[in-house]
């Protein structure tokens, strides 16, 4: 293969894009990974905050953990475990009924294997992006993906108009690359014109998502009245999930940190009033107060935190799977793969499976050139 033929652009450094980039690089393909954020992870990102008294706090404010049933994914997870990137989160979990204010369905420790990145959920993506053969470009958003018919190549342009280069193949691991939501947020058309991929257009037109607010809390003392470290919230219109982030392996125990997730209904009610543009500090503060009030109403003797901050996940959690059999969307003639949890199943394992599938498609195609 010549130099151009081995170049592939991967757009998005969530777990799907990171796994794909790593797999391509291990098969001898030169990968350039573009990520508009400052670092990798997507909803596996780790949030760093500083409290008023100067304490540094870190939170897994997106996906709290992941489980594995796929044999190929389990093989990868075991490799990550051996590298110290992943550990099993061995705690008791259950459900909390907000009608009766009682915990039920308590699981025994280790019954379901829950895995977390170490020292943060983003550790996996960070390590995969740093593997040989992967060139990382963080803080670089892709504004336009153009197919050059005469050259049989993709041309990528940044949001700032910068020429990002020509590539023999592209993997789009960010569903917003084709979503109308991109326009709602940025005021610009989506980077990928669906007219370029008419066979895929119907599936990609508008992938439904589950919006969510996350609330990050830090307490000076442990919440000793709560006997479990993670629970789903039943019969609450406001909260869906709560977990003790500082109870995960490899985390600092200097303070007790919790992350709460809102229900879709609550998030939609806020978005209906504010739209998808960046939220004001006043709105985020109001959301934080409402989510914390619901947490306190559980009657679990929850003290006042010394840190409290809300974050909106507008479109990170897909509500459907659009390519369960194929595992990714694939346009052979243009060497374009679209991968993510929205293709297989709306969780981390689904994203990993899709990233592996996209890498396989590109590797096989490029080896024939």
């Amino acid at each position: 293969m010549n130099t151009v033929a081995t170049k592939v652009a991967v757009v998005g450094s969530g777990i799907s894009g990171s796994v794909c980039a790593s797999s391509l690089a291990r098969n001898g393909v030169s990968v350039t990974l573009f990520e508009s954020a400052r670092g990798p992870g997507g909803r596996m990102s780790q949030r760093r905050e500083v409290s008023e008294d100067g304490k540094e706090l870190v939170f897994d404010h997106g996906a709290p953990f992941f489980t594995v049933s796929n044999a190929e994914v389990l093989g990868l997870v075991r490799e990550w475990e051996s590298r110290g990137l992943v550990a099993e989160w061995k705690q008791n979990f259950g459900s909390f009924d907000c009608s009766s204010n009682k915990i039920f369905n308590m699981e025994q420790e280790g019954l379901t294997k829950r895995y977390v990145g170490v020292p943060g959920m983003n550790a996996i993506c960070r390590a995969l992006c740093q593997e040989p053969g992967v060139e990382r470009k963080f803080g670089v958003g892709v504004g336009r993906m153009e197919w050059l018919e005469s050259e049989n190549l993709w041309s990528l342009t940044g949001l700032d108009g910068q020429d990002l280069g020509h590539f023999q193949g592209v993997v789009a691991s960010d569903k917003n690359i084709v979503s109308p939501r991109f326009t709602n947020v940025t005021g610009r058309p989506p980077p990928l014109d669906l007219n370029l991929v008419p066979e895929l257009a119907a599936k990609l037109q508008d992938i439904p998502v589950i919006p969510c607010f996350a609330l990050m809390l830090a307490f000076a003392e442990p919440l000793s009245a709560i006997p479990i470290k993670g629970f789903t919230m039943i019969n609450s219109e406001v909260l869906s999930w709560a977990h003790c982030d500082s109870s995960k392996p490899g985390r600092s125990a200097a303070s007790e940190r919790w992350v709460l997730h809102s229900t879709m209904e609550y998030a939609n009610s806020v978005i209906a009033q504010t739209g998808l543009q960046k939220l004001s500090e006043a709105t985020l503060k109001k959301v934080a107060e409402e989510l914390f009030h619901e947490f306190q109403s559980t009657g679990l003797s929850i003290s006042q935190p010394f840190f409290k901050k809300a974050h909106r996940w507008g479109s990170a959690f897909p509500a459907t799977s659009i390519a369960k059999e194929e595992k990714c969307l694939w346009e052979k003639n243009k060497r374009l793969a679209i991968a993510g949890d929205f293709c297989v199943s709306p969780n981390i394992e689904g994203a990993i499976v899709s990233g592996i599938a996209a890498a396989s498609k590109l590797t096989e195609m490029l080896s024939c050139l």
Side-chain angles (χ1 to χ4, degrees):
M1 292 186 289
N2 61 43
T3 304
V4 174
T6 63
K7 288 183 69 176
V8 169
V10 175
V11 183
S13 70
I15 189 65
S16 184
S18 298
V19 164
C20 182
S22 168
S23 181
L24 285 167
R26 289 185 179 194
N27 282 283
V29 178
S30 176
V31 179
T32 304
L33 188 147
F34 297 99
E35 171 58 61
S36 58
R38 291 174 294 176
R43 62 174 167 157
M44 289 179 73
S45 299
Q46 188 179 59
R47 182 74 171 255
R48 293 186 177 274
E49 296 287 350
V50 178
S51 64
E52 288 183 1
D53 60 356
K55 289 189 178 74
E56 185 179 68
L57 305 166
V58 291
F59 300 89
D60 293 330
H61 64 317
F65 62 86
F66 64 98
T67 58
V68 180
S69 58
N70 178 282
E72 189 171 11
V73 176
L74 187 58
L76 270 180
V77 171
R78 285 175 176 158
E79 178 199 328
W80 297 339
E81 274 189 293
S82 70
R83 296 168 61 184
L85 301 174
V86 166
E88 188 182 345
W89 187 15
K90 297 179 179 179
Q91 293 287 351
N92 292 329
F93 299 84
S95 300
F96 184 89
D97 187 347
C98 292
S99 295
S100 61
N101 278 11
K102 289 182 179 178
I103 292 171
F104 66 103
N105 284 347
M106 282 187 62
E107 297 178 15
Q108 293 301 310
E109 183 180 312
L111 189 63
T112 299
K113 286 194 172 183
R114 293 175 171 84
Y115 295 97
V116 298
V118 178
M121 287 297 284
N122 65 346
I124 307 165
C125 298
R126 192 173 298 280
L128 295 176
C129 292
Q130 291 174 348
E131 291 191 355
V134 179
E135 181 184 6
R136 305 164 298 280
K137 291 188 179 291
F138 296 122
V140 179
V142 174
R144 187 180 180 196
M145 297 166 54
E146 185 180 4
W147 175 249
L148 306 178
E149 194 72 51
S150 60
E151 299 179 49
N152 203 27
L153 294 171
W154 284 97
S155 172
L156 268 61
T157 306
L159 284 169
D160 59 358
Q162 178 188 358
D163 179 9
L164 300 179
H166 291 179
F167 299 89
Q168 195 72 17
V170 170
V171 178
S173 66
D174 181 353
K175 57 185 171 295
N176 287 328
I177 208 126
V178 296
S179 171
R181 282 182 294 276
F182 183 91
T183 304
N184 294 337
V185 174
T186 66
R188 304 167 58 119
L192 178 61
D193 183 352
L194 287 178
N195 291 322
L196 291 174
V197 286
E199 317 77 22
L200 308 182
K203 289 185 175 182
L204 287 167
Q205 191 60 50
D206 193 13
I207 300 169
V209 296
I210 300 173
C212 168
F213 280 95
L215 178 63
M216 297 165 280
L217 301 169
F219 300 89
E221 300 293 333
L223 302 184
S224 54
I226 304 178
I228 53 180
K229 298 302 182 183
F231 48 91
T232 53
M233 307 281 280
I234 310 298
N235 293 320
S236 171
E237 295 180 359
V238 178
L239 291 178
S240 65
W241 167 258
H243 76 267
C244 180
D245 209 43
S246 52
S247 71
K248 296 176 181 177
R251 271 60 172 181
S252 166
S255 62
E256 180 151 303
R257 298 176 304 285
W258 283 74
V259 175
L260 318 180
H261 280 192
S262 78
T263 61
M264 175 183 68
E265 291 76 15
Y266 174 84
N268 276 330
S269 70
V270 176
I271 291 170
Q273 299 173 42
T274 62
L276 289 172
Q277 283 73 25
K278 185 177 179 180
L279 295 177
S280 67
E281 287 300 317
T283 298
L284 284 172
K285 188 174 181 179
K286 181 174 181 286
V287 167
E289 292 296 339
E290 290 174 350
L291 297 183
F292 182 66
H293 180 266
E294 185 76 354
F295 193 39
Q296 273 196 317
S297 69
T298 57
L300 291 169
S301 300
I302 295 164
S303 57
Q304 283 294 325
F306 68 84
F307 178 85
K308 177 171 54 182
K309 190 170 186 177
H311 170 82
R312 182 185 66 187
W313 291 103
S315 60
F317 303 94
T320 190
S321 303
I322 63 174
K324 283 186 178 180
E325 296 299 320
E326 305 89 344
K327 300 177 183 175
C328 69
L329 296 181
W330 174 239
E331 214 301 317
K332 180 179 179 181
N333 294 329
K334 295 184 175 68
R335 296 178 297 279
L336 170 70
I338 297 175
D341 54 1
F342 54 93
C343 289
V344 181
S345 57
N347 51 39
I348 290 173
E349 183 178 29
I352 295 171
V353 168
S354 190
I356 293 171
S360 177
K361 295 285 190 186
L362 262 299
T363 301
E364 182 182 352
M365 193 72 183
L366 291 171
S367 67
C368 297
L369 295 177

